Amino acid sequence: MLTTVPKLATVSTAALAHDLRIAVTRITRRLRHVAAGRSVTLTQLSALSSIGAAGQQTLGELAARERVQPPSMTRVVAGLVDSGLVQRSADPRDGRQVLVDLTPAGRALLEEEIGAREAWLSTRLNELSPDEREILREAGKIFVRLADDE
Amino acid sequence: MLTTVPKLATVSTAALAHDLRIAVTRITRRLRHVAAGRSVTLTQLSALSSIGAAGQQTLGELAARERVQPPSMTRVVAGLVDSGLVQRSADPRDGRQVLVDLTPAGRALLEEEIGAREAWLSTRLNELSPDEREILREAGKIFVRLADDE
DNA sequence: TATTGTTATACTCTATAACTATA
DNA sequence: TATAGTTATAGAGTATAACAATA
């Protein structure tokens, strides 16, 4: 069951918001649980993905892209550097800034992660109908748009 | 941008899984940020919602329903009890068990939260098209189903 | 003086292991 | 001995405040 007041769910945006909060909370819990024990955490994977998508960038840019505060990103990057997946270098033009980029190992892991068809979520998605997958594909785009909203 | 390898996103389930992980990570981050400073956290709201939906139940049942381990639920419930939103009582038939239920304040808060049209997510959802809201409604159902999957 | 990033600290969320109370 | 829940502890994820280095 998705909501405490099922009838509202079909008519009210506020109820949809409530249902979505619960749904997102639960799926996140499950994804983090499944991710436990893997080589990178969900947060690290998200950062890795952003670096892969946008290429070498400053830590501040990466924090903004990931919508976290700089101190949080400092910690995430430190973990990735420790794992050999990301490298830091000084910005030759501005000594205050730190440039981050994927190492070859980081790029390999990112691609392996994308291609990991045996992953829990991939398996579950394969059990869905094409229509349901299309819904999730569109929902993912909307979520990212909402998350990026000012 | 949703993925590092946009072309794959339209053809591969694995890539969809990756995109969804990122999307869910980001929207969760945003929702938690928006929730900060409110009276209950997302986790507490989720538990409150489960108690509201299923009524008085044991702590173990609630933990199972929320898909967390009992120690985690002990802490969540302790916070809710401290806030006066949930009450605990001994099960008269089995002294080992603890029954939890909403207090009137808990029920009121849950309903207020559901009806909080001014909330960030509600506002954003209202800016979407009806079709987009329908996608999110369906996606929410699928997420809950996936999260409950064995 | 303003900006970039780091360190220190704290709070939420969750887990496993060890323990207590009851059955 | 088995079960329900709690306590102790730990790790991930995030934040704000204070600081250092550079511009």
Side-chain angles (χ1 to χ4, degrees):
Chain A
M1 170 152 356
L2 195 51
T3 178
T4 311
V5 190
K7 282 177 187 169
L8 274 181
T10 59
V11 295
S12 148
T13 301
L16 174 57
H18 180 254
D19 287 351
L20 271 180
R21 261 183 221 248
I22 304 294
V24 166
T25 300
R26 303 247 173 110
I27 193 72
T28 297
R29 199 175 271 158
R30 178 51 88 104
L31 288 178
R32 290 207 181 274
H33 186 253
V34 170
R38 293 195 62 96
S39 56
V40 290
T41 67
L42 277 186
T43 298
Q44 287 177 323
L45 179 60
S46 184
L48 223 41
S49 179
S50 274
I51 302 173
Q56 189 184 55
Q57 59 202 286
T58 69
L59 190 138
E61 285 165 354
L62 178 57
R65 192 164 271 123
E66 287 283 303
R67 307 268 162 183
V68 297
Q69 294 302 307
S72 303
M73 192 47 72
T74 291
R75 296 197 70 189
V76 173
V77 165
L80 290 170
V81 168
D82 281 352
S83 304
L85 302 171
V86 162
Q87 61 193 91
R88 284 194 296 206
S89 49
D91 187 326
R93 296 178 305 178
D94 185 338
R96 294 171 304 182
Q97 297 189 149
V98 170
L99 293 169
V100 295
D101 201 358
L102 298 183
T103 61
R107 186 163 300 281
L109 186 136
L110 183 57
E111 279 165 17
E112 182 219 307
E113 195 73 36
I114 293 175
R117 294 178 182 280
E118 78 289 355
W120 178 84
L121 183 56
S122 276
T123 304
R124 290 300 161 283
L125 292 176
N126 264 124
E127 294 164 0
L128 298 178
S129 71
D131 280 358
E132 288 173 322
R133 280 195 294 273
E134 190 55 33
I135 286 169
L136 293 184
R137 200 186 315 282
E138 293 303 316
K141 289 180 192 169
I142 298 172
F143 278 155
V144 169
R145 191 143 50 81
L146 291 176
D148 283 355
D149 236 24
E150 284 320 311
Chain B
M1 170 152 355
L2 197 51
T3 180
T4 309
V5 190
K7 281 176 187 168
L8 272 182
T10 59
V11 296
S12 147
T13 301
L16 173 58
H18 181 253
D19 286 352
L20 270 181
R21 261 183 221 247
I22 304 294
V24 167
T25 300
R26 303 246 173 110
I27 193 74
T28 296
R29 201 174 269 158
R30 177 52 89 103
L31 288 178
R32 290 208 180 273
H33 187 253
V34 170
R38 293 198 60 98
S39 56
V40 289
T41 67
L42 277 185
T43 297
Q44 288 177 323
L45 179 59
S46 184
L48 223 42
S49 179
S50 274
I51 302 174
Q56 190 184 54
Q57 57 201 288
T58 68
L59 189 138
E61 284 166 354
L62 178 57
R65 191 164 272 123
E66 286 284 302
R67 306 268 162 183
V68 298
Q69 294 302 308
S72 302
M73 192 47 71
T74 291
R75 297 201 71 192
V76 174
V77 166
L80 291 170
V81 168
D82 281 352
S83 304
L85 302 172
V86 162
Q87 60 193 89
R88 285 195 294 207
S89 49
D91 187 325
R93 296 178 305 180
D94 185 339
R96 294 171 303 182
Q97 298 190 148
V98 170
L99 294 170
V100 296
D101 201 358
L102 298 183
T103 61
R107 186 165 298 282
L109 185 137
L110 184 56
E111 279 166 17
E112 181 220 306
E113 195 73 36
I114 293 174
R117 293 179 182 281
E118 78 291 354
W120 177 85
L121 184 55
S122 273
T123 305
R124 290 299 162 284
L125 292 175
N126 263 124
E127 295 164 0
L128 299 178
S129 71
D131 280 358
E132 287 172 324
R133 281 196 293 273
E134 190 54 34
I135 286 168
L136 293 184
R137 200 187 314 284
E138 293 304 316
K141 290 180 191 169
I142 298 171
F143 278 155
V144 169
R145 191 143 50 82
L146 291 176
D148 283 355
D149 235 24
E150 283 320 311

